[in-house]
Amino acid sequence: MEQWLSPDRFRTYLQLAGYDRLRALDLHEWNTRLNAALLHDFAHLEVGLRNFYDRALMAAVQPGDSHWTDQDSFAALFPAVGGGDARTHGELSTARRNAGGPTAPPGKLLAELTFGFWVFMTSSRHTNLIWTPHLGALYPAGSQRAKIHRGLEELRKARNRVAHHEPVRVAEVNSLTRRIDRYAGYVSSELARYIRHTSTVNALLGSRP
């Protein structure tokens, strides 16, 4: 077990299992299944969020462009003046290359952008050019950009931990699923209901070894 899990990783589960080696392996298997179930829910949220933002940003398309990721429109939304916008331009270039190059259709390009790309849109840097004119109206009246961003940033960090197969705790998962449900509800009440209906996270929480 230590050879494929590593001694340090297995020790974490040994401690959780009261040093019962077989139960420790069962806990690792349960954690693997739980992370996979969480990634299922995250996948639906991420796709919904990027399409949510994509529709809103179409209002920023510049004359002569057909999509907000085209050169002039993207430059207007993300002025390349160093810092975060330089990184954002780099992420778009990488995504376009991975999607097949300059002629890649927008849908394929969007699919190559990371969850972090979408989260960064609500950062303070983008208050004037993105949040105020385009994204703020998507959220309930009175929503604060900083609060929306903090929640999305916590989701991003959690998604990365899950994707890297880190051990999860029941209390943390309960909090995480509530946040996923809330942000999915911002995108669409139907999306939130669909995730609740198809998620296996709660069932797995009840089957912890």
Side-chain angles (χ1 to χ4, degrees), residues 43-57 68 107-108 110-115 118 187:
H44 285 300
L45 174 62
E46 182 173 349
V47 169
L49 185 72
R50 77 186 183 211
N51 290 325
F52 192 44
Y53 285 5
D54 176 47
R55 289 190 296 273
L57 291 173
W68 61 269
K108 193 168 184 181
L110 298 184
E112 292 290 340
L113 292 166
T114 66
F115 188 51
W118 305 105
V187 174

Side-chain angles (χ1 to χ4, degrees), residues 16 23 27 30 168 170 203-209:
L16 292 171
R23 183 169 177 242
L27 278 172
W30 173 81
V168 294
V170 171
L204 283 164
L205 287 177
S207 66
R208 184 179 186 274

Side-chain angles (χ1 to χ4, degrees), residues 46-47 50-51 54 67-70 91-114 117-118:
E46 182 173 349
V47 169
R50 77 186 183 211
N51 290 325
D54 176 47
H67 195 261
W68 61 269
T69 57
D70 291 341
E91 289 183 19
L92 182 72
S93 295
T94 299
R96 196 183 300 279
R97 183 170 60 252
N98 291 340
T103 61
K108 193 168 184 181
L109 173 60
L110 298 184
E112 292 290 340
L113 292 166
T114 66
F117 177 91
W118 305 105

Side-chain angles (χ1 to χ4, degrees), residues 139-154:
Y139 290 93
S143 294
Q144 298 176 1
R145 180 207 55 75
K147 188 173 181 180
I148 293 293
H149 182 68
R150 279 197 300 271
L152 285 169
E153 180 64 12
E154 287 302 314

Side-chain angles (χ1 to χ4, degrees), residues 41-42 44-49 52-53 55 137-141 143 148 152 155 176-196:
D41 297 358
F42 270 120
H44 285 300
L45 174 62
E46 182 173 349
V47 169
L49 185 72
F52 192 44
Y53 285 5
R55 289 190 296 273
L138 300 179
Y139 290 93
S143 294
I148 293 293
L152 285 169
L155 283 170
L176 177 57
T177 55
R178 287 193 297 270
R179 179 168 281 151
I180 290 174
D181 184 71
R182 183 166 69 254
Y183 277 83
Y186 294 149
V187 174
S188 161
S189 58
E190 289 82 2
L191 173 61
R193 284 196 297 270
Y194 184 82
I195 292 175
R196 289 194 297 269

